[in-house]
Amino acid sequence: MFYRTCLQSTAALASISLLAGCGLFSDAQGGGDHKITVGTTSEPTTLDPAAAWDGSWELYRNVYQTLLSFPTGSTLPQPDAAQRCEFTGPKVYECTLKPGLLFSNGEKLNAEAVKHSITRVQHISATNGPSKLLTSLGSVQTDGELKVKFFLKASDATFPFVLATPATSLVAPQAYPATQLRTDGRVTGSGPYKLSSYTKGEKAELVKNGSYRGFARLKNDAITIRYFRDSEIMIGALKRKKIDATFRGLSATDVADLQQSKLPQNKNLQVIETVGADIRYLVFNPRDPMAGKTSVRRAIAQIIDRGALISKVYKGTAEPLYSMIPRGITGHSTQFFDVYGEPDVSKAKKILERDGITEPVELTLWYTTDRYGAGTGIEFNAIKQQLEASGLFKITVKGKPEAEFQKGYQSGTYPVFGRGWFPDFPDPDNFIAPFVGEQNVLSTPYVNDEITKELLPQSRTETDRGAVAKYFEDIQKILAKDVRLLPLWQGKVYIAANKEIGGSERAVDPQAIMQMWELYRKASW
């Protein structure tokens, strides 16, 4: 890939630098004459990057810039707003900005703006915000107009990956208060696009940012993102050419239908499949009288048939997952299969009986009705059927819209609930660290000192991220023993688009975020 040939090697993450004269990171904009309209079921929860650690990142990646990023084809952070970044000590990371960068309101994007952007995430520490990704960051200092120094509390080789996520989106200081969220419904960034208008629940209008200087080469002039609550309605809009492409929210039934290219209604459509790193899993509340019992959790792990679940609900658009770290990421294992093997009701019964449980266990399973697509409700009812068929469980399934659902699990009222995880960055740390510790993204404390005080810190001293598998193998042995989290399946990424739209195969980055600038109308490109 030409990204790798133009950039200095970053395998050790000791230095991330941009070579003069490469040309890839120039201000070349190019592009077609027409606007592209993309449909999604993943609407941003807020426009302020300090307050969201969710699907809002899809919009952020396109309107905000970060110091580092993941250009198409790269799984290691590469310069974006930065000209060069490097570790200058075990706990010191420095970045030098490109000169002359501007925000869309004309403000300078300098070292002070970077410091302001990142420290406000820490200061605000929003409940649903990404501040937990910055737990290793102690302080930020500027050195002149263009240099920023990050002082870490402990060695953390994943820090460059964090700087490449929308969690550290760069914002204009005059428009974003240091200790408060912005609430006027506007965006002031330096990304490939400017947000020209936003109507909550309906659409976002993006136009090319003429002052953008980063790695992206825009292949269109403008993007309209339309937000749908129902994937069936979204697919109908695609077939009627009301939208040009879709991303996020396609159900397995949608994909199976769209892949039938011989159907008259599908003759002008294409479905692009790429490898996904998103996962689905169950979370058990240790404070619940029954879900808090290790025997109950192990019995569920012994019963659930992932293959049947995927076959019945997801029709081949996912694959069984026996590790919190998905296939394709360093440290992936099959530890849950190694421990529990094939589904076995008799083994589950013995697990419960050894703990003195002889009557069916009553549990309520909760899911979000509007976050991961229409298949989620079907999936949870299929899990209910599997558990009740064993005769060992009596299950109630309940669902709520995402906003209400979040309040429920954050208050600790759900015994068992389902979540999905779209990676912040392609490193095994990101599939473990967010879910463990007293304070974690699930608001369900999982205290294990061996993981949080030994194995994770040791893994973060390894700058060669390919060498950390041994630490994560040990972590996953602990996870399989505790069953506080139960991995279910790993998804694939699908983009459906009209055949006249090109670039879909390059539009998804390693964080499973759509890079809208890759899309183009073939007739105009």
Side-chain angles (χ1 to χ4, degrees):
M1 299 295 289
F2 62 92
Y3 291 107
R4 299 300 178 92
T5 59
C6 286
L7 289 169
Q8 183 175 336
S9 173
T10 58
L13 288 180
S15 176
I16 298 175
S17 54
L18 176 65
L19 299 183
C22 171
L24 173 63
F25 292 80
S26 71
D27 199 24
Q29 296 290 334
D33 298 326
H34 302 290
K35 177 167 62 178
I36 306 292
T37 301
V38 177
T40 178
T41 60
S42 183
E43 181 187 356
T45 55
T46 173
L47 298 184
D48 191 327
W53 193 0
D54 55 25
S56 304
W57 282 15
E58 186 119 318
L59 178 63
Y60 299 170
R61 174 57 76 205
N62 291 276
V63 296
Y64 294 108
Q65 203 171 9
T66 43
L67 287 170
L68 304 170
S69 195
F70 295 103
T72 302
S74 174
T75 57
L76 292 174
Q78 309 290 335
D80 190 358
Q83 187 173 53
R84 177 184 177 88
C85 290
E86 62 185 340
F87 278 104
T88 58
K91 296 189 288 184
V92 182
Y93 195 69
E94 294 186 6
C95 288
T96 301
L97 288 163
K98 296 173 184 173
L101 296 180
L102 297 173
F103 290 104
S104 58
N105 65 350
E107 272 189 79
K108 289 183 178 181
L109 200 176
N110 54 20
E112 283 294 340
V114 172
K115 179 180 178 180
H116 172 87
S117 300
I118 294 175
T119 56
R120 76 183 290 268
V121 175
Q122 294 179 303
H123 292 154
I124 293 173
S125 192
T127 301
N128 297 320
S131 60
K132 293 183 180 65
L133 276 175
L134 296 170
T135 53
S136 67
L137 177 60
S139 62
V140 184
Q141 294 181 11
T142 61
D143 182 359
E145 183 78 2
L146 299 178
K147 183 173 288 188
V148 187
K149 297 182 179 181
F150 301 94
F151 295 89
L152 308 180
K153 298 174 185 176
S155 296
D156 185 1
T158 71
F159 188 69
F161 289 84
V162 175
L163 290 181
T165 71
T168 57
S169 294
L170 304 177
V171 298
Q174 291 181 18
Y176 293 81
T179 58
Q180 296 179 12
L181 295 175
R182 183 174 182 176
T183 58
D184 64 359
R186 301 174 66 185
V187 163
T188 309
S190 60
Y193 297 97
K194 294 187 290 186
L195 181 68
S196 63
S197 69
Y198 176 74
T199 305
K200 185 174 176 58
E202 294 183 20
K203 64 181 179 178
E205 297 281 1
L206 312 184
V207 296
K208 182 168 63 176
N209 179 6
S211 62
Y212 168 71
R213 291 180 58 211
F215 72 89
R217 185 169 182 262
L218 276 67
K219 298 180 180 178
N220 56 66
D221 293 323
I223 292 284
T224 295
I225 305 174
R226 287 188 55 193
Y227 300 111
F228 295 84
R229 293 189 179 276
D230 186 286
S231 63
E232 186 175 344
I233 296 174
M234 181 172 69
I235 294 301
L238 177 68
K239 291 180 177 180
R240 297 193 308 275
K241 289 196 171 184
K242 298 296 183 182
I243 59 176
D244 298 303
T246 69
F247 185 61
R248 288 272 190 261
L250 291 179
S251 69
T253 302
D254 295 330
V255 173
D257 171 65
L258 291 168
Q259 287 177 330
Q260 297 183 56
S261 58
K262 294 182 179 180
L263 295 177
Q265 64 268 32
N266 294 344
K267 66 179 181 179
N268 294 318
L269 300 178
Q270 57 182 323
V271 179
I272 293 88
E273 175 185 319
T274 61
V275 177
D278 61 304
I279 66 173
R280 298 294 186 276
Y281 56 97
L282 293 179
V283 184
F284 295 91
N285 187 345
R287 298 190 178 101
D288 182 79
M290 297 311 296
K293 293 180 178 291
T294 305
S295 59
V296 170
R297 303 195 298 269
R298 289 177 179 170
I300 291 174
Q302 190 67 72
I303 292 171
I304 286 184
D305 187 336
R306 294 168 176 82
L309 195 65
I310 290 168
S311 175
K312 180 177 181 179
V313 181
Y314 293 104
K315 307 180 189 305
T317 61
E319 56 184 276
L321 183 64
Y322 298 95
S323 158
M324 286 298 289
I325 301 172
R327 186 171 61 86
I329 300 293
T330 298
H332 169 69
S333 74
T334 57
Q335 190 61 38
F336 275 84
F337 185 84
D338 297 343
V339 173
Y340 300 98
E342 297 290 350
D344 192 318
V345 173
S346 63
K347 287 183 179 179
K349 184 177 181 180
K350 290 177 181 177
I351 290 171
L352 293 173
E353 287 177 343
R354 283 197 293 267
D355 199 22
I357 300 173
T358 56
E359 297 295 324
V361 176
E362 296 188 19
L363 281 175
T364 300
L365 275 56
W366 288 84
Y367 71 97
T368 175
T369 58
D370 59 354
R371 176 69 178 91
Y372 306 119
T376 311
I378 302 171
E379 174 187 0
F380 271 72
N381 279 293
I383 292 174
K384 167 186 167 76
Q385 291 173 9
Q386 288 186 8
L387 294 175
E388 290 190 336
S390 71
L392 302 176
F393 290 89
K394 190 173 182 180
I395 303 297
T396 301
V397 171
K398 293 185 179 181
K400 284 188 176 182
E402 178 70 6
E404 295 179 54
F405 179 78
Q406 284 189 4
K407 293 177 183 177
Y409 76 73
Q410 287 169 357
S411 65
T413 58
Y414 299 161
V416 186
F417 59 95
R419 289 308 276 165
W421 185 251
F422 298 93
D424 302 313
F425 48 84
D427 186 273
D429 188 280
N430 193 237
F431 292 90
I432 301 295
F435 312 120
V436 297
E438 184 67 37
Q439 302 291 327
N440 60 50
V441 298
L442 301 169
S443 300
T444 307
Y446 183 7
V447 179
N448 185 293
D449 288 348
E450 187 176 358
I451 295 177
T452 57
K453 294 183 179 180
E454 296 178 29
L455 295 171
L456 280 177
Q458 289 169 9
S459 74
R460 289 170 178 168
T461 65
E462 290 278 3
T463 55
D464 179 2
R465 301 309 291 166
V468 299
K470 58 183 181 293
Y471 300 109
F472 290 96
E473 289 171 3
D474 289 343
I475 288 172
Q476 290 177 93
K477 289 177 182 178
I478 297 171
L479 297 184
K481 178 182 177 182
D482 292 346
V483 200
R484 288 288 309 281
L485 306 163
L486 182 61
L488 296 174
W489 55 269
Q490 173 179 352
K492 300 175 184 178
V493 176
Y494 293 90
I495 296 175
N498 290 311
K499 286 186 177 179
E500 65 186 49
I501 300 300
S504 297
E505 69 283 353
R506 293 176 54 82
V508 181
D509 75 1
Q511 299 159 301
I513 296 174
M514 183 177 271
Q515 302 175 139
M516 303 290 183
W517 57 83
E518 292 285 358
L519 301 177
Y520 62 91
R521 203 172 297 278
K522 293 177 182 178
S524 63
W525 178 244

